[in-house]
Amino acid sequence: MQVAVTPGGRPLAWLLAGLFVAATPSPVSAYTAYVSNERDNTISVVDLDQMKTVKTVPAGQRPRGITITKDGKDILVCASDDDTIQIIDTETLRVVGTLPSGPDPETFALHVSGNPLYVSNEDDNMVTVIDVPARKVIAEIPTGVEPEGVAVSPDGETIVNTSETTNMAHFLDVKTHKMTASVLVGARPRDAMFKHDGSEVWVSSELGGTVSVIDPKKHVVTHKISFDVQGLRGDVIQPVGIQFTSDDATAFVALGPANRVVVIDAKTYKVRKYLLVGQRVWHMAFTPDQKYLLTSNGLSNDISVIDVAGLDVVKSVPVGRLPWGVVVSPK
Amino acid sequence: MPRGRFGRRALITATAGAVMATSASAARAEAAAIDIGYIRWPQERQTISLLDKPPADDGLAGAKLGIDDNNTTGRFIGQQFELTDTVVRAGDDPVTALTTLGQRGITLILTDVPADLLLRLAAAGGAKGVTLFNVSAPDDTLRQHDCRANVIHVAPSRAMLADALAQYLVWKKWSRWVLAYGSHPDDTLLADAYRRAARRFGARIVKELEYKDTGGARQTDSGVVETQQRMPVFTQGLPDYDVLVTADENEVFANYLPFRTWDPRPVTGSAGLRPVSWDPSSESWGGTQLQDRFRRMAHRRMTPLDMQAWTAIRMIGEAASRASSVDSTKIMQYMKGADFGIAAYKGRELSLRDWDWQLRQPILLSDGRTIVSVSPQPGFLHQFTELDTLGFDRPETQCKLQ
């Protein structure tokens, strides 16, 4: 998931750019987003110039976690009920292979170098490490009950994995595959995300309603962020997805059935603003230029487009049923 | 394929195996261990459907899975959980079981016993610092006049179950009810809960019917022919109504009613659409994982009693990890504090009502195949938490904890 937010910094293909010059008066990007639709067993392909779904591609059963390889060539998607990860070629939009994920893969993160892939097996208390080009399992690391979020530290040395029923963030060493620390957080932790400078890892607790800020060296919670939306009872504020702007100044946290994304000053941990998005918002992804943040809204079957500079929701784009995750191509 | 190498072992010791248990805990000197008791009173229970026959380890299997889940967490923080199961049979004194557990230093005990026995256990355990976790008795009186400071109610009360169904029926605008109740004392109490629910949420009971239990077998060869004739007659000549609400905790008649009523009306309550704490078909909020874990361990489906026992064990494990202690006093201190909450696959954090120590929880409405809805329903508002629209809320409580 870290890969999804890191700007690719690649120049646009001139041909592609030229096409859009002809099509629209002010071309900003030719980015493409891919959304996993848990209920439809499909991937929606969203053109971010037109801000619409241009294609819907069949995927395996119950597609959830979705990411893209560093070169932008392949989409990886957890087909949870098929117990596999599918590789979808972004050119042909066809499934070109599978990865041996172990049972019920829910979500994952690619190592910062682009390989391997760290997969949480929700049903099996295990993190599976997969060599993506070789399509082979390298290791299985025992973890807490119902592993969920996976994050790779920017220095590539540490994996953080949350476990929903154990209520911990587990720190795993990339070289030894050993657990180095476990940090207790709020109830039902979902997402984990490192700041780009590696100084902090944030963990969202869906039922605890909080975000824990963890010092990844000392393995202690240094701060707990809680939320208060006027007119909403506390128990519908259920934090899930976390994203940092590339300068680590601002954090966005998706608040699930509160139907809002909260904007947080990532230095002072103060809430700056609540943005109303679609229903049951879970995961998010930036466009590589960080102009937009996209949110997958499970119950309104759409993605919301947030203007990052203006802190404003500018558009909602219909996708398939129960959109779970979203990723934007670095190309 | 289950491949997990951890957290699959339930550490169960019978009371007779006390010597073994002692040597086992000595071998694990590095982990702080806590033994949790389980007192159950298995009763022969007839059911109308063969599919509903309670399994022999009903509840216990849920507790075992809870112990496994606690230990998966516990191994990261040096805590070890064990379970000591004690079966009390007719003629046994349950207080003896409590004393035996007490001699082994066990002070946190799950109970699957009827209300009168629960009160005896609570009285006997009070002086010894014992806390009981009521995983089965639904009696509202245990949360009202007969509430006890050392009893935590994990099972939902009859009022909570009735309110959960009532909210849904009112939301559906099925507000004219016929209430059919059995002749056992439990059924009378459940009928009271439905009358209260109707008053609270604006439904109208247009007619009440009592079904007398005259004894006899539930299943008989060719019994279906007789049932087909009997049930329409029982429901004949009723005023206009929307839905039949049944109160039949002893499975005497309610499960015979669907598709056999005189008028074509849905059946709810003890048959048809039932309010439950858990159902083996619940898959939301990560429920599938719990169902899978349970099936791998117990080779059967997870019942409401299993869920209530699992939740009780997880409450103890959660409080132990937050309090960083396996000392039962510290565990209970944390559990009774304002910060305590527990996740139990129902979409919200569950917590304790500090006026009667009832676990506040959403109630599932199941048709036996799928989850039709989950209460509280939208629109039933509450100034603190909508979960307190189910059961006896703080202003209504008769409980004086001591």
Side-chain angles (χ1 to χ4, degrees), chain A residues 1-2 107-112 118 148-154 157-162 170-172 174 190-194 201-203:
Chain A
M1 292 214 280
Q2 193 72 22
T107 185
F108 44 32
L110 275 164
H111 190 264
V112 283
Y118 298 90
E148 173 87 14
V150 191
V152 183
S153 66
E157 288 175 6
T158 308
I159 310 300
V160 170
N161 163 239
T162 65
H170 305 284
F171 287 73
L172 313 173
V174 163
R190 293 287 303 265
D191 212 3
M193 188 60 79
F194 276 92
V201 59
W202 289 25
V203 173

PDB file of all heavy atoms in Angstrom, chain A residues 1-2 107-112 118 148-154 157-162 170-172 174 190-194 201-203:
ATOM      1  N   MET A   1       0.826  -1.195   0.000  1.00  0.00           N
ATOM      2  CA  MET A   1       0.000   0.000   0.000  1.00  0.00           C
ATOM      3  C   MET A   1       0.864   1.251   0.000  1.00  0.00           C
ATOM      4  O   MET A   1       0.467   2.267  -0.521  1.00  0.00           O
ATOM      5  CB  MET A   1      -0.931  -0.034   1.187  1.00  0.00           C
ATOM      6  CG  MET A   1      -1.952  -1.141   1.017  1.00  0.00           C
ATOM      7  SD  MET A   1      -3.536  -0.781   1.696  1.00  0.00           S
ATOM      8  CE  MET A   1      -3.308  -1.097   3.389  1.00  0.00           C
ATOM      9  N   GLN A   2       2.041   1.103   0.584  1.00  0.00           N
ATOM     10  CA  GLN A   2       2.958   2.236   0.577  1.00  0.00           C
ATOM     11  C   GLN A   2       3.299   2.611  -0.860  1.00  0.00           C
ATOM     12  O   GLN A   2       3.396   3.772  -1.201  1.00  0.00           O
ATOM     13  CB  GLN A   2       4.242   1.881   1.332  1.00  0.00           C
ATOM     14  CG  GLN A   2       5.151   3.050   1.668  1.00  0.00           C
ATOM     15  CD  GLN A   2       4.572   3.908   2.771  1.00  0.00           C
ATOM     16  OE1 GLN A   2       3.733   3.446   3.537  1.00  0.00           O
ATOM     17  NE2 GLN A   2       4.954   5.151   2.838  1.00  0.00           N
ATOM     18  N   THR A 107      -5.266  -8.499   2.554  1.00  0.00           N
ATOM     19  CA  THR A 107      -4.577  -7.329   2.059  1.00  0.00           C
ATOM     20  C   THR A 107      -3.079  -7.568   2.161  1.00  0.00           C
ATOM     21  O   THR A 107      -2.637  -8.604   2.659  1.00  0.00           O
ATOM     22  CB  THR A 107      -5.037  -6.059   2.804  1.00  0.00           C
ATOM     23  OG1 THR A 107      -4.419  -4.922   2.202  1.00  0.00           O
ATOM     24  CG2 THR A 107      -4.680  -6.121   4.273  1.00  0.00           C
ATOM     25  N   PHE A 108      -2.300  -6.611   1.644  1.00  0.00           N
ATOM     26  CA  PHE A 108      -0.867  -6.858   1.517  1.00  0.00           C
ATOM     27  C   PHE A 108      -0.099  -5.564   1.305  1.00  0.00           C
ATOM     28  O   PHE A 108      -0.692  -4.488   1.160  1.00  0.00           O
ATOM     29  CB  PHE A 108      -0.582  -7.803   0.354  1.00  0.00           C
ATOM     30  CG  PHE A 108      -1.353  -7.503  -0.923  1.00  0.00           C
ATOM     31  CD1 PHE A 108      -1.704  -6.213  -1.267  1.00  0.00           C
ATOM     32  CD2 PHE A 108      -1.724  -8.524  -1.782  1.00  0.00           C
ATOM     33  CE1 PHE A 108      -2.403  -5.944  -2.435  1.00  0.00           C
ATOM     34  CE2 PHE A 108      -2.425  -8.259  -2.961  1.00  0.00           C
ATOM     35  CZ  PHE A 108      -2.754  -6.967  -3.270  1.00  0.00           C
ATOM     36  N   ALA A 109       1.217  -5.661   1.292  1.00  0.00           N
ATOM     37  CA  ALA A 109       2.059  -4.523   0.929  1.00  0.00           C
ATOM     38  C   ALA A 109       3.290  -5.051   0.220  1.00  0.00           C
ATOM     39  O   ALA A 109       3.829  -6.102   0.580  1.00  0.00           O
ATOM     40  CB  ALA A 109       2.465  -3.747   2.181  1.00  0.00           C
ATOM     41  N   LEU A 110       3.726  -4.309  -0.792  1.00  0.00           N
ATOM     42  CA  LEU A 110       4.965  -4.653  -1.485  1.00  0.00           C
ATOM     43  C   LEU A 110       6.127  -4.031  -0.725  1.00  0.00           C
ATOM     44  O   LEU A 110       6.013  -2.940  -0.162  1.00  0.00           O
ATOM     45  CB  LEU A 110       4.940  -4.105  -2.913  1.00  0.00           C
ATOM     46  CG  LEU A 110       4.249  -4.966  -3.973  1.00  0.00           C
ATOM     47  CD1 LEU A 110       3.968  -4.128  -5.212  1.00  0.00           C
ATOM     48  CD2 LEU A 110       5.081  -6.200  -4.322  1.00  0.00           C
ATOM     49  N   HIS A 111       7.256  -4.729  -0.729  1.00  0.00           N
ATOM     50  CA  HIS A 111       8.462  -4.149  -0.161  1.00  0.00           C
ATOM     51  C   HIS A 111       8.822  -2.900  -0.958  1.00  0.00           C
ATOM     52  O   HIS A 111       8.515  -2.808  -2.157  1.00  0.00           O
ATOM     53  CB  HIS A 111       9.602  -5.174  -0.221  1.00  0.00           C
ATOM     54  CG  HIS A 111      10.803  -4.758   0.555  1.00  0.00           C
ATOM     55  ND1 HIS A 111      11.863  -4.128  -0.044  1.00  0.00           N
ATOM     56  CD2 HIS A 111      11.093  -4.851   1.872  1.00  0.00           C
ATOM     57  CE1 HIS A 111      12.775  -3.857   0.899  1.00  0.00           C
ATOM     58  NE2 HIS A 111      12.328  -4.288   2.066  1.00  0.00           N
ATOM     59  N   VAL A 112       9.490  -1.940  -0.304  1.00  0.00           N
ATOM     60  CA  VAL A 112       9.801  -0.672  -0.992  1.00  0.00           C
ATOM     61  C   VAL A 112      10.669  -0.886  -2.234  1.00  0.00           C
ATOM     62  O   VAL A 112      10.640  -0.093  -3.165  1.00  0.00           O
ATOM     63  CB  VAL A 112      10.503   0.343  -0.048  1.00  0.00           C
ATOM     64  CG1 VAL A 112       9.486   0.972   0.879  1.00  0.00           C
ATOM     65  CG2 VAL A 112      11.618  -0.294   0.757  1.00  0.00           C
ATOM     66  N   TYR A 118       4.153  -8.869   1.067  1.00  0.00           N
ATOM     67  CA  TYR A 118       3.777  -9.369   2.402  1.00  0.00           C
ATOM     68  C   TYR A 118       2.256  -9.410   2.492  1.00  0.00           C
ATOM     69  O   TYR A 118       1.602  -8.378   2.356  1.00  0.00           O
ATOM     70  CB  TYR A 118       4.361  -8.469   3.489  1.00  0.00           C
ATOM     71  CG  TYR A 118       5.875  -8.452   3.442  1.00  0.00           C
ATOM     72  CD1 TYR A 118       6.561  -7.513   2.661  1.00  0.00           C
ATOM     73  CD2 TYR A 118       6.617  -9.396   4.135  1.00  0.00           C
ATOM     74  CE1 TYR A 118       7.941  -7.522   2.574  1.00  0.00           C
ATOM     75  CE2 TYR A 118       8.001  -9.412   4.068  1.00  0.00           C
ATOM     76  CZ  TYR A 118       8.658  -8.473   3.285  1.00  0.00           C
ATOM     77  OH  TYR A 118      10.023  -8.500   3.209  1.00  0.00           O
ATOM     78  N   GLU A 148      -4.424  -8.185   9.597  1.00  0.00           N
ATOM     79  CA  GLU A 148      -5.114  -7.284   8.667  1.00  0.00           C
ATOM     80  C   GLU A 148      -4.104  -6.399   7.947  1.00  0.00           C
ATOM     81  O   GLU A 148      -3.474  -6.821   6.991  1.00  0.00           O
ATOM     82  CB  GLU A 148      -6.157  -6.474   9.441  1.00  0.00           C
ATOM     83  CG  GLU A 148      -6.848  -5.388   8.659  1.00  0.00           C
ATOM     84  CD  GLU A 148      -8.068  -5.864   7.894  1.00  0.00           C
ATOM     85  OE1 GLU A 148      -8.564  -6.963   8.150  1.00  0.00           O
ATOM     86  OE2 GLU A 148      -8.537  -5.113   7.023  1.00  0.00           O
ATOM     87  N   GLY A 149      -3.910  -5.173   8.434  1.00  0.00           N
ATOM     88  CA  GLY A 149      -3.083  -4.221   7.711  1.00  0.00           C
ATOM     89  C   GLY A 149      -1.618  -4.630   7.664  1.00  0.00           C
ATOM     90  O   GLY A 149      -1.105  -5.197   8.616  1.00  0.00           O
ATOM     91  N   VAL A 150      -0.966  -4.328   6.554  1.00  0.00           N
ATOM     92  CA  VAL A 150       0.463  -4.589   6.419  1.00  0.00           C
ATOM     93  C   VAL A 150       1.126  -3.309   5.917  1.00  0.00           C
ATOM     94  O   VAL A 150       0.611  -2.656   5.013  1.00  0.00           O
ATOM     95  CB  VAL A 150       0.756  -5.720   5.406  1.00  0.00           C
ATOM     96  CG1 VAL A 150       2.210  -6.153   5.493  1.00  0.00           C
ATOM     97  CG2 VAL A 150      -0.154  -6.906   5.628  1.00  0.00           C
ATOM     98  N   ALA A 151       2.254  -2.949   6.515  1.00  0.00           N
ATOM     99  CA  ALA A 151       2.999  -1.776   6.049  1.00  0.00           C
ATOM    100  C   ALA A 151       4.487  -2.105   6.075  1.00  0.00           C
ATOM    101  O   ALA A 151       4.947  -2.862   6.928  1.00  0.00           O
ATOM    102  CB  ALA A 151       2.716  -0.572   6.951  1.00  0.00           C
ATOM    103  N   VAL A 152       5.218  -1.527   5.104  1.00  0.00           N
ATOM    104  CA  VAL A 152       6.664  -1.723   5.034  1.00  0.00           C
ATOM    105  C   VAL A 152       7.322  -0.394   5.375  1.00  0.00           C
ATOM    106  O   VAL A 152       6.913   0.654   4.866  1.00  0.00           O
ATOM    107  CB  VAL A 152       7.088  -2.177   3.623  1.00  0.00           C
ATOM    108  CG1 VAL A 152       8.585  -2.443   3.572  1.00  0.00           C
ATOM    109  CG2 VAL A 152       6.310  -3.413   3.206  1.00  0.00           C
ATOM    110  N   SER A 153       8.348  -0.426   6.229  1.00  0.00           N
ATOM    111  CA  SER A 153       9.017   0.823   6.592  1.00  0.00           C
ATOM    112  C   SER A 153       9.775   1.361   5.381  1.00  0.00           C
ATOM    113  O   SER A 153      10.213   0.595   4.526  1.00  0.00           O
ATOM    114  CB  SER A 153       9.964   0.595   7.765  1.00  0.00           C
ATOM    115  OG  SER A 153      11.014  -0.263   7.375  1.00  0.00           O
ATOM    116  N   PRO A 154       9.914   2.692   5.295  1.00  0.00           N
ATOM    117  CA  PRO A 154      10.587   3.279   4.126  1.00  0.00           C
ATOM    118  C   PRO A 154      12.026   2.784   3.966  1.00  0.00           C
ATOM    119  O   PRO A 154      12.521   2.702   2.849  1.00  0.00           O
ATOM    120  CB  PRO A 154      10.556   4.784   4.426  1.00  0.00           C
ATOM    121  CG  PRO A 154       9.436   4.969   5.383  1.00  0.00           C
ATOM    122  CD  PRO A 154       9.361   3.711   6.192  1.00  0.00           C
ATOM    123  N   GLU A 157      13.358  -2.210   6.197  1.00  0.00           N
ATOM    124  CA  GLU A 157      13.862  -3.187   7.162  1.00  0.00           C
ATOM    125  C   GLU A 157      12.777  -3.817   8.038  1.00  0.00           C
ATOM    126  O   GLU A 157      12.999  -4.857   8.643  1.00  0.00           O
ATOM    127  CB  GLU A 157      14.912  -2.525   8.075  1.00  0.00           C
ATOM    128  CG  GLU A 157      16.206  -2.260   7.337  1.00  0.00           C
ATOM    129  CD  GLU A 157      17.227  -1.502   8.160  1.00  0.00           C
ATOM    130  OE1 GLU A 157      16.976  -1.280   9.363  1.00  0.00           O
ATOM    131  OE2 GLU A 157      18.262  -1.130   7.588  1.00  0.00           O
ATOM    132  N   THR A 158      11.620  -3.157   8.110  1.00  0.00           N
ATOM    133  CA  THR A 158      10.598  -3.600   9.068  1.00  0.00           C
ATOM    134  C   THR A 158       9.229  -3.723   8.400  1.00  0.00           C
ATOM    135  O   THR A 158       8.859  -2.897   7.561  1.00  0.00           O
ATOM    136  CB  THR A 158      10.489  -2.572  10.224  1.00  0.00           C
ATOM    137  OG1 THR A 158      11.793  -2.342  10.739  1.00  0.00           O
ATOM    138  CG2 THR A 158       9.588  -3.079  11.334  1.00  0.00           C
ATOM    139  N   ILE A 159       8.508  -4.748   8.804  1.00  0.00           N
ATOM    140  CA  ILE A 159       7.110  -4.901   8.397  1.00  0.00           C
ATOM    141  C   ILE A 159       6.260  -4.665   9.643  1.00  0.00           C
ATOM    142  O   ILE A 159       6.590  -5.167  10.716  1.00  0.00           O
ATOM    143  CB  ILE A 159       6.810  -6.343   7.920  1.00  0.00           C
ATOM    144  CG1 ILE A 159       7.827  -6.821   6.898  1.00  0.00           C
ATOM    145  CG2 ILE A 159       5.393  -6.479   7.395  1.00  0.00           C
ATOM    146  CD1 ILE A 159       7.883  -5.991   5.680  1.00  0.00           C
ATOM    147  N   VAL A 160       5.181  -3.931   9.486  1.00  0.00           N
ATOM    148  CA  VAL A 160       4.215  -3.824  10.577  1.00  0.00           C
ATOM    149  C   VAL A 160       2.932  -4.503  10.132  1.00  0.00           C
ATOM    150  O   VAL A 160       2.460  -4.279   9.013  1.00  0.00           O
ATOM    151  CB  VAL A 160       3.948  -2.357  10.971  1.00  0.00           C
ATOM    152  CG1 VAL A 160       2.771  -2.273  11.939  1.00  0.00           C
ATOM    153  CG2 VAL A 160       5.173  -1.756  11.624  1.00  0.00           C
ATOM    154  N   ASN A 161       2.407  -5.363  10.983  1.00  0.00           N
ATOM    155  CA  ASN A 161       1.185  -6.087  10.672  1.00  0.00           C
ATOM    156  C   ASN A 161       0.230  -5.954  11.852  1.00  0.00           C
ATOM    157  O   ASN A 161       0.625  -6.167  12.997  1.00  0.00           O
ATOM    158  CB  ASN A 161       1.535  -7.565  10.405  1.00  0.00           C
ATOM    159  CG  ASN A 161       0.322  -8.468  10.469  1.00  0.00           C
ATOM    160  OD1 ASN A 161       0.281  -9.395  11.263  1.00  0.00           O
ATOM    161  ND2 ASN A 161      -0.674  -8.197   9.671  1.00  0.00           N
ATOM    162  N   THR A 162      -1.021  -5.579  11.569  1.00  0.00           N
ATOM    163  CA  THR A 162      -1.995  -5.463  12.649  1.00  0.00           C
ATOM    164  C   THR A 162      -2.783  -6.762  12.765  1.00  0.00           C
ATOM    165  O   THR A 162      -2.925  -7.482  11.784  1.00  0.00           O
ATOM    166  CB  THR A 162      -2.992  -4.317  12.401  1.00  0.00           C
ATOM    167  OG1 THR A 162      -3.783  -4.642  11.242  1.00  0.00           O
ATOM    168  CG2 THR A 162      -2.275  -3.004  12.158  1.00  0.00           C
ATOM    169  N   HIS A 170       2.149  -5.672  15.161  1.00  0.00           N
ATOM    170  CA  HIS A 170       3.318  -6.530  15.304  1.00  0.00           C
ATOM    171  C   HIS A 170       4.433  -6.025  14.393  1.00  0.00           C
ATOM    172  O   HIS A 170       4.192  -5.748  13.216  1.00  0.00           O
ATOM    173  CB  HIS A 170       2.975  -7.970  14.936  1.00  0.00           C
ATOM    174  CG  HIS A 170       1.820  -8.531  15.705  1.00  0.00           C
ATOM    175  ND1 HIS A 170       1.923  -8.932  17.015  1.00  0.00           N
ATOM    176  CD2 HIS A 170       0.517  -8.714  15.359  1.00  0.00           C
ATOM    177  CE1 HIS A 170       0.748  -9.369  17.433  1.00  0.00           C
ATOM    178  NE2 HIS A 170      -0.131  -9.230  16.455  1.00  0.00           N
ATOM    179  N   PHE A 171       5.646  -5.915  14.940  1.00  0.00           N
ATOM    180  CA  PHE A 171       6.800  -5.488  14.152  1.00  0.00           C
ATOM    181  C   PHE A 171       7.603  -6.723  13.754  1.00  0.00           C
ATOM    182  O   PHE A 171       8.009  -7.511  14.607  1.00  0.00           O
ATOM    183  CB  PHE A 171       7.663  -4.514  14.974  1.00  0.00           C
ATOM    184  CG  PHE A 171       7.028  -3.164  15.119  1.00  0.00           C
ATOM    185  CD1 PHE A 171       5.932  -2.971  15.943  1.00  0.00           C
ATOM    186  CD2 PHE A 171       7.515  -2.061  14.408  1.00  0.00           C
ATOM    187  CE1 PHE A 171       5.327  -1.726  16.073  1.00  0.00           C
ATOM    188  CE2 PHE A 171       6.913  -0.813  14.529  1.00  0.00           C
ATOM    189  CZ  PHE A 171       5.813  -0.648  15.360  1.00  0.00           C
ATOM    190  N   LEU A 172       7.784  -6.918  12.452  1.00  0.00           N
ATOM    191  CA  LEU A 172       8.491  -8.088  11.933  1.00  0.00           C
ATOM    192  C   LEU A 172       9.767  -7.627  11.237  1.00  0.00           C
ATOM    193  O   LEU A 172       9.751  -6.639  10.499  1.00  0.00           O
ATOM    194  CB  LEU A 172       7.609  -8.851  10.937  1.00  0.00           C
ATOM    195  CG  LEU A 172       6.160  -9.134  11.359  1.00  0.00           C
ATOM    196  CD1 LEU A 172       5.380  -9.747  10.199  1.00  0.00           C
ATOM    197  CD2 LEU A 172       6.133 -10.075  12.553  1.00  0.00           C
ATOM    198  N   VAL A 174      12.506  -7.784   8.441  1.00  0.00           N
ATOM    199  CA  VAL A 174      12.489  -8.215   7.048  1.00  0.00           C
ATOM    200  C   VAL A 174      13.527  -9.314   6.796  1.00  0.00           C
ATOM    201  O   VAL A 174      13.272 -10.268   6.066  1.00  0.00           O
ATOM    202  CB  VAL A 174      12.713  -7.009   6.108  1.00  0.00           C
ATOM    203  CG1 VAL A 174      13.106  -7.461   4.709  1.00  0.00           C
ATOM    204  CG2 VAL A 174      11.452  -6.151   6.050  1.00  0.00           C
ATOM    205  N   ARG A 190      -7.005  -1.936  11.999  1.00  0.00           N
ATOM    206  CA  ARG A 190      -7.151  -2.250  10.567  1.00  0.00           C
ATOM    207  C   ARG A 190      -5.884  -1.885   9.796  1.00  0.00           C
ATOM    208  O   ARG A 190      -5.092  -2.725   9.438  1.00  0.00           O
ATOM    209  CB  ARG A 190      -8.373  -1.486   9.988  1.00  0.00           C
ATOM    210  CG  ARG A 190      -9.702  -1.953  10.533  1.00  0.00           C
ATOM    211  CD  ARG A 190     -10.135  -3.316   9.997  1.00  0.00           C
ATOM    212  NE  ARG A 190     -10.212  -3.364   8.555  1.00  0.00           N
ATOM    213  CZ  ARG A 190     -11.316  -3.178   7.835  1.00  0.00           C
ATOM    214  NH1 ARG A 190     -12.460  -2.960   8.447  1.00  0.00           N
ATOM    215  NH2 ARG A 190     -11.305  -3.235   6.530  1.00  0.00           N
ATOM    216  N   ASP A 191      -5.670  -0.595   9.565  1.00  0.00           N
ATOM    217  CA  ASP A 191      -4.585  -0.195   8.680  1.00  0.00           C
ATOM    218  C   ASP A 191      -3.353   0.208   9.484  1.00  0.00           C
ATOM    219  O   ASP A 191      -3.466   0.667  10.624  1.00  0.00           O
ATOM    220  CB  ASP A 191      -5.053   1.007   7.840  1.00  0.00           C
ATOM    221  CG  ASP A 191      -4.420   1.004   6.461  1.00  0.00           C
ATOM    222  OD1 ASP A 191      -3.679   0.046   6.146  1.00  0.00           O
ATOM    223  OD2 ASP A 191      -4.648   1.964   5.697  1.00  0.00           O
ATOM    224  N   ALA A 192      -2.173   0.017   8.889  1.00  0.00           N
ATOM    225  CA  ALA A 192      -0.930   0.549   9.456  1.00  0.00           C
ATOM    226  C   ALA A 192      -0.247   1.319   8.343  1.00  0.00           C
ATOM    227  O   ALA A 192      -0.295   0.915   7.176  1.00  0.00           O
ATOM    228  CB  ALA A 192      -0.036  -0.576   9.938  1.00  0.00           C
ATOM    229  N   MET A 193       0.348   2.467   8.670  1.00  0.00           N
ATOM    230  CA  MET A 193       1.006   3.261   7.636  1.00  0.00           C
ATOM    231  C   MET A 193       2.191   4.018   8.236  1.00  0.00           C
ATOM    232  O   MET A 193       2.063   4.653   9.275  1.00  0.00           O
ATOM    233  CB  MET A 193      -0.010   4.251   7.038  1.00  0.00           C
ATOM    234  CG  MET A 193       0.471   5.002   5.819  1.00  0.00           C
ATOM    235  SD  MET A 193       0.911   3.934   4.440  1.00  0.00           S
ATOM    236  CE  MET A 193      -0.701   3.549   3.774  1.00  0.00           C
ATOM    237  N   PHE A 194       3.349   3.877   7.575  1.00  0.00           N
ATOM    238  CA  PHE A 194       4.528   4.627   7.987  1.00  0.00           C
ATOM    239  C   PHE A 194       4.489   6.023   7.382  1.00  0.00           C
ATOM    240  O   PHE A 194       4.038   6.207   6.246  1.00  0.00           O
ATOM    241  CB  PHE A 194       5.805   3.942   7.473  1.00  0.00           C
ATOM    242  CG  PHE A 194       6.296   2.835   8.348  1.00  0.00           C
ATOM    243  CD1 PHE A 194       5.896   1.519   8.121  1.00  0.00           C
ATOM    244  CD2 PHE A 194       7.175   3.092   9.396  1.00  0.00           C
ATOM    245  CE1 PHE A 194       6.356   0.487   8.923  1.00  0.00           C
ATOM    246  CE2 PHE A 194       7.647   2.067  10.204  1.00  0.00           C
ATOM    247  CZ  PHE A 194       7.231   0.756   9.964  1.00  0.00           C
ATOM    248  N   VAL A 201       4.803   5.227  12.821  1.00  0.00           N
ATOM    249  CA  VAL A 201       3.825   4.399  12.123  1.00  0.00           C
ATOM    250  C   VAL A 201       2.481   4.625  12.807  1.00  0.00           C
ATOM    251  O   VAL A 201       2.391   4.666  14.028  1.00  0.00           O
ATOM    252  CB  VAL A 201       4.242   2.906  12.076  1.00  0.00           C
ATOM    253  CG1 VAL A 201       4.416   2.313  13.460  1.00  0.00           C
ATOM    254  CG2 VAL A 201       3.249   2.083  11.280  1.00  0.00           C
ATOM    255  N   TRP A 202       1.461   4.872  11.986  1.00  0.00           N
ATOM    256  CA  TRP A 202       0.116   5.125  12.522  1.00  0.00           C
ATOM    257  C   TRP A 202      -0.727   3.871  12.307  1.00  0.00           C
ATOM    258  O   TRP A 202      -0.652   3.234  11.249  1.00  0.00           O
ATOM    259  CB  TRP A 202      -0.547   6.319  11.813  1.00  0.00           C
ATOM    260  CG  TRP A 202       0.039   7.651  12.156  1.00  0.00           C
ATOM    261  CD1 TRP A 202       1.305   7.905  12.602  1.00  0.00           C
ATOM    262  CD2 TRP A 202      -0.629   8.915  12.064  1.00  0.00           C
ATOM    263  NE1 TRP A 202       1.468   9.259  12.802  1.00  0.00           N
ATOM    264  CE2 TRP A 202       0.298   9.897  12.470  1.00  0.00           C
ATOM    265  CE3 TRP A 202      -1.913   9.314  11.669  1.00  0.00           C
ATOM    266  CZ2 TRP A 202      -0.026  11.262  12.499  1.00  0.00           C
ATOM    267  CZ3 TRP A 202      -2.240  10.659  11.692  1.00  0.00           C
ATOM    268  CH2 TRP A 202      -1.301  11.620  12.116  1.00  0.00           C
ATOM    269  N   VAL A 203      -1.543   3.553  13.318  1.00  0.00           N
ATOM    270  CA  VAL A 203      -2.403   2.375  13.239  1.00  0.00           C
ATOM    271  C   VAL A 203      -3.834   2.797  13.589  1.00  0.00           C
ATOM    272  O   VAL A 203      -4.066   3.417  14.626  1.00  0.00           O
ATOM    273  CB  VAL A 203      -1.918   1.266  14.207  1.00  0.00           C
ATOM    274  CG1 VAL A 203      -2.912   0.115  14.251  1.00  0.00           C
ATOM    275  CG2 VAL A 203      -0.538   0.767  13.801  1.00  0.00           C
TER     276      VAL A 203
END
